[in-house]
Each structure stands twice: as structure tokens, then as C-alpha cells.
Amino acid sequence: MTSEDREYGAASRRPVEDEVDVVAEDTQKTATDGKGKKKGSFWKELPVLVVVALVLALIIKTFVIQAFYIPSESMENTLLTNDRVLVNKLVYRVRDIERGDVVVFSGVDSWDGEVRFEEPSNPVSAFFRWIGTAFGVVPGEKDYIKRVIGVAGDTVKCCDAQGRVTVNGVPLDEKGYLYPGDEPSNEPFEVKVPQGRLWVMGDHRSVSLDSRSHEGDPGNGTIPVDKVIGRAFVIVWPFSRAKILPIPDTFQQPALKAAVALTEATPLVGGLAGAVPLVMWRRRRNSRR
């Protein structure tokens, strides 16, 4: 091989090495620029992601499930102060409110709050309080949580000869959820629940300002069904107390269901009883003609 050929071969190899260096350098620059762009775009998108997350959370809270903070002792020991519960806001679109349900309802323009809170002193504090209430971090001043004892048409009474609350004459066995040592009620009462309303009581009867404390109000202490926000179905905080909140077995008594069926059937029976004489009278009248 001549010296000229060797020089030509070396010359032909140099551009390949140079090309590799250039490609590596360009790749490194692209990777570096990509990282920079990704970091920059992340911080730009972060506020948007936060806003979207808040909007979605508020939509869920408004229409599906909401967290609530327990501020008082009125539902002990079922619910303790500072517990957080989740409330199903859709359940009563597919079924009626049932006796034994633990419900959250609004007392706006109705009951006074069991726990007093100072109003925020400025708009910023008011905004953060609203956010905290929406997400169950702080309690709502006009929201209550109680157990449904009577629904529309029920006669709720206390007490029978053994000191028990009765619904339509059927006694309730409340030992499973009443606060230890509490009586079903310290004062006697009897109320027929009007249409569209509910009779509610706290599980810690000796301290609960429930329907019994509002018998002098319109509705004789009952609350409007349309003020019910939803059913509390699970404790989510603290984790050590996480559990489902079922309907107690005493509300599934066959005698109670039979009494309900009889109560619901009474208007129909009365209508039939009134219709039969009318039909017989018309038949006689028509036969005479």
C-alpha cells in the first residue's frame, strides 16, 4: 500500500469519528434540553392540576360522597368526637330513608347548633373554613348527625313498662348502640311523625339535643326529609376506628315491619270500606230504574 493510499484511508476514517462525536454531543444536548423542558412544564402545569383536583373533589363532595367531622358527644359511642365519617349523598335517590339509618342533615333555619363556632374574622379565613368544612376537616356549624328512629306515619313513644322506646307499639332493643348507662330517654314523649319528616335521636341520649329537645318547634321536633344530606355509612378516621355503620337488627323486627305494613294499608282499607256501600247504592238505584 502506498503512502498516498494510507493517507487516503486515514482521511476517510476521520469523518466517521467526528460524526460519532457530533451525534453524541447533539444527543446529550437534546437530553439536557428535554429535562429542562420537562421540569419547566411540570411547574407550569402544577397549579392547573391542583385546580382540576379541587374541582373534581368538590363535584364528588356535592353530588356523591362527602366527609364530615364529628364535633360533639351526641352520638357516642357509635361516633366519637373528632371522628370523620363518609356520607353517601346518592343512596336516598334509590331508596327511602329507613329507621336506624345514621343521617347527616342541615339545621339551617331550624335547630340551633349543638356546638358554637366563632365566625371567621376576614374573607381569607372564611374561605379556608369553607374548604375545611367541604372536605370534613372542620365541622359545619349547622350540620347534625343523628339516628333515624321514626319515619312518616310512625308513632314514636317513650317509654313502655320496661322503659323502652316504641315505634308503632313495637319496642326497640337499643342496647347495641346506646351509650353505656344511658336510658332510652330521660323524659317521656309521644309523637306521630308527619308526612315528609323524621324523628331523630342521638345514641348518647343524656347529652343529645335531638328531636326531644325541639318538641316546641314546628313539626314537634321532627326534621324535614329534604334537609337530609345523606347517610353516614363508614368511619374513615382515625384508622384505628375505621368501620361500617350498619342498621341495627332491632329495626328489622318482623313485628315492626308488620306494623308498618298495617299502617300503610289503613288508608287503602278505609277507602275500600267507603267505596263498597257507594257501589251497592248505585247498583240498587240503577236496578230500580
Side-chain angles (χ1 to χ4, degrees), residues 63-123:
F63 299 105
V64 185
I65 290 177
Q66 183 175 354
F68 278 88
Y69 173 100
I70 306 303
S72 73
E73 303 171 346
S74 68
M75 282 295 292
E76 290 183 343
N77 280 331
T78 303
L79 301 172
L80 304 183
T81 304
N82 299 324
D83 279 355
R84 270 73 165 180
V85 297
L86 291 185
V87 172
N88 187 333
K89 306 179 84 169
L90 292 178
V91 63
Y92 296 134
R93 296 181 183 274
V94 297
R95 74 163 174 85
D96 293 333
I97 299 173
E98 297 180 4
R99 302 174 196 84
D101 280 350
V102 175
V103 298
V104 171
F105 61 95
S106 171
V108 173
D109 300 325
S110 178
W111 293 6
D112 292 331
E114 290 181 316
V115 180
R116 296 290 182 178
F117 303 99
E118 293 185 6
E119 291 295 330
S121 57
N122 59 70

Side-chain angles (χ1 to χ4, degrees), residues 6-67:
R6 287 196 296 271
E7 290 177 2
Y8 175 78
S12 63
R13 286 195 298 272
R14 285 194 196 100
V16 175
E17 295 174 357
D18 292 344
E19 185 176 346
V20 172
D21 293 339
V22 171
V23 171
E25 185 177 352
D26 289 344
T27 304
Q28 187 175 2
K29 285 183 177 180
T30 303
T32 304
D33 292 344
K35 288 181 181 179
K37 288 180 180 178
K38 286 181 180 178
K39 287 182 179 179
S41 62
F42 171 77
W43 290 111
K44 289 179 181 178
E45 293 173 359
L46 181 60
V48 177
L49 293 174
V50 171
V51 171
V52 170
L54 284 173
V55 170
L56 289 175
L58 288 174
I59 290 173
I60 293 172
K61 168 257 178 186
T62 302
F63 299 105
V64 185
I65 290 177
Q66 183 175 354

Side-chain angles (χ1 to χ4, degrees), residues 249-264:
D249 292 339
T250 189
F251 293 99
Q252 307 300 328
Q253 295 181 76
L256 182 57
K257 292 184 177 181
V260 173
L262 181 61
T263 301
E264 293 175 348

Side-chain angles (χ1 to χ4, degrees), residues 157-260:
K157 182 179 179 180
C158 192
C159 300
D160 68 0
Q162 298 181 36
R164 298 170 297 184
V165 171
T166 63
V167 178
N168 300 325
V170 179
L172 300 179
D173 181 3
E174 302 187 282
K175 295 176 183 177
Y177 56 85
L178 275 189
Y179 185 81
D182 269 10
E183 298 294 332
S185 181
N186 292 328
E187 62 272 355
F189 64 87
E190 181 174 359
V191 63
K192 185 174 180 62
V193 183
Q195 288 298 315
R197 303 185 76 90
L198 306 166
W199 179 269
V200 295
M201 300 173 75
D203 289 353
H204 194 172
R205 299 284 164 81
S206 60
V207 301
S208 178
L209 300 178
D210 48 40
S211 288
R212 297 168 299 162
S213 302
H214 297 272
E215 288 190 82
D217 296 348
N220 293 329
T222 59
I223 64 164
V225 169
D226 59 13
K227 291 293 186 181
V228 174
I229 296 170
R231 177 180 178 240
F233 67 97
V234 63
I235 301 172
V236 293
W237 183 263
F239 291 138
S240 60
R241 284 183 40 75
K243 64 178 180 179
I244 302 295
L245 299 173
I247 296 177
D249 292 339
T250 189
F251 293 99
Q252 307 300 328
Q253 295 181 76
L256 182 57
K257 292 184 177 181
V260 173

